[in-house]
Amino acid sequence: MELRDRKPVSLRDKFKEHYHNRDFTPTKTQVSSFGMGFFGFMVLSLLLEAQLVLVPTIYNEDAWRFWLTTGLIWLTFLETVSNWYLSYWDVKNYVKGETRAKYFSSEMTETPPGWRTCPKCQVDAPPRSHHCNHCGKCILKRDQHCFFTGSCIGFFNQKYFVVFSFYVALGSAFAIYLQILYLSQEFSFLSWDIITYFIPVTFVQWLLGNTTLDKLLIIVHMYLCISTMCMATFVFLWQILIITYGATSFEAWKQIFLYTHSAADNFCSVFGSLKVIPILFFFPIKVEQDSDGIMWEVKRKRVKGH
Ligand SMILES: [Zn+2]
Ligand SMILES: [Zn+2]
């Protein structure tokens, strides 16, 4: 082809060709990376913001409050991160090929009653376990897949997840309290200054040179903390509710209450024992439960639904 025969390609055509028929739906890995990245960003940025900006400014002349607040910040930080770690690493939740062999002999050819062969990972899965498309495995007493911990919440890590959501809610509330104390030194809540707490207004104020970049960033951060606090509080209260009723999120949604015992027994099933619950909220230690999450005694008839 000669040069003069070539049609000029516009930038618009180049873009069209480049992005034509492309699927922009995020993959499961991307969603998980985003969730874990958001968690990591929030935890580290809040720690740095609180230690380097908020606390030194608010309590610069009050040593007692300075050290008390610093201690509480580090306690919340360490509890959140260690319970995240415990929620993330418990791979005992996976249903493996040998799970069935723990209770049934290999001579038994059919799937045991109450069990089902998972069409996706081909293992014999016990009651209450479900396949997770993100993990690619069947999970014992599967509750949900959490993108912020990057793991499935199931029989062995639900206890850590409950404590984790509690500390995320508490840490966010604590951060909002410190951010408001810091910001109210310049913008009062009890005057028209309150309008400055709306991001577009703060942004314009910053462009006009009426406020500093750190104040703008702290206000944006405060909104992220409010969203995180609302979400974590909801998750924590929901978990307490479903544990009380002895159900998983899926079972509660479908109104299947087959495995509910007394509220105390339901809590023991998740946490190991009632005595361990207050300990777990202060010390992030590994705790074993009595059962292995495989065999479940049906206690009550289905209330409604399936
Ligand atoms: Zn499966
Ligand atoms: Zn999962």
Side-chain angles (χ1 to χ4, degrees), residues 94 132-137 139 142 144-146 150-153:
Y94 296 154
C132 174
N133 286 329
H134 299 280
C135 299
K137 292 188 169 67
I139 308 294
R142 181 173 185 269
Q144 55 170 299
H145 185 94
C146 174
S151 61
C152 245
I153 307 306

Side-chain angles (χ1 to χ4, degrees), residues 33-83:
S33 307
F34 175 79
M36 288 164 75
F38 179 76
F39 168 72
F41 162 76
M42 285 302 281
V43 164
L44 290 175
S45 60
L46 280 176
L47 182 72
L48 292 173
E49 180 187 307
Q51 282 290 253
L52 302 177
V53 182
L54 305 180
V55 176
T57 313
I58 302 166
Y59 301 117
N60 64 342
E61 286 169 9
D62 193 338
W64 183 78
R65 281 174 199 264
F66 177 92
W67 289 111
L68 177 71
T69 314
T70 302
L72 288 173
I73 288 168
W74 277 91
L75 175 78
T76 325
F77 170 76
L78 292 173
E79 290 284 357
T80 309
V81 172
S82 46
N83 280 290

Side-chain angles (χ1 to χ4, degrees), residues 1 8 29 203 258 280:
M1 191 195 289
T29 319
F203 186 69
L258 278 171
L280 264 182

Side-chain angles (χ1 to χ4, degrees), residues 90 92-93 140 154-160 289 291-292:
D90 222 320
K92 280 197 292 181
N93 280 331
L140 290 172
F155 182 72
F156 287 103
N157 62 348
Q158 189 179 12
K159 50 189 179 288
Y160 309 123
Q289 290 136 280
S291 161
D292 54 10

Side-chain angles (χ1 to χ4, degrees), residues 161-167 169 230-243 271 281:
F161 180 68
V162 173
V163 184
F164 169 73
S165 52
F166 171 80
Y167 275 103
C230 293
M231 195 163 58
T233 306
F234 171 77
V235 170
F236 175 70
L237 295 176
W238 171 252
Q239 285 291 318
I240 296 297
L241 186 73
I242 60 169
I243 292 171
F271 287 93
F281 273 83

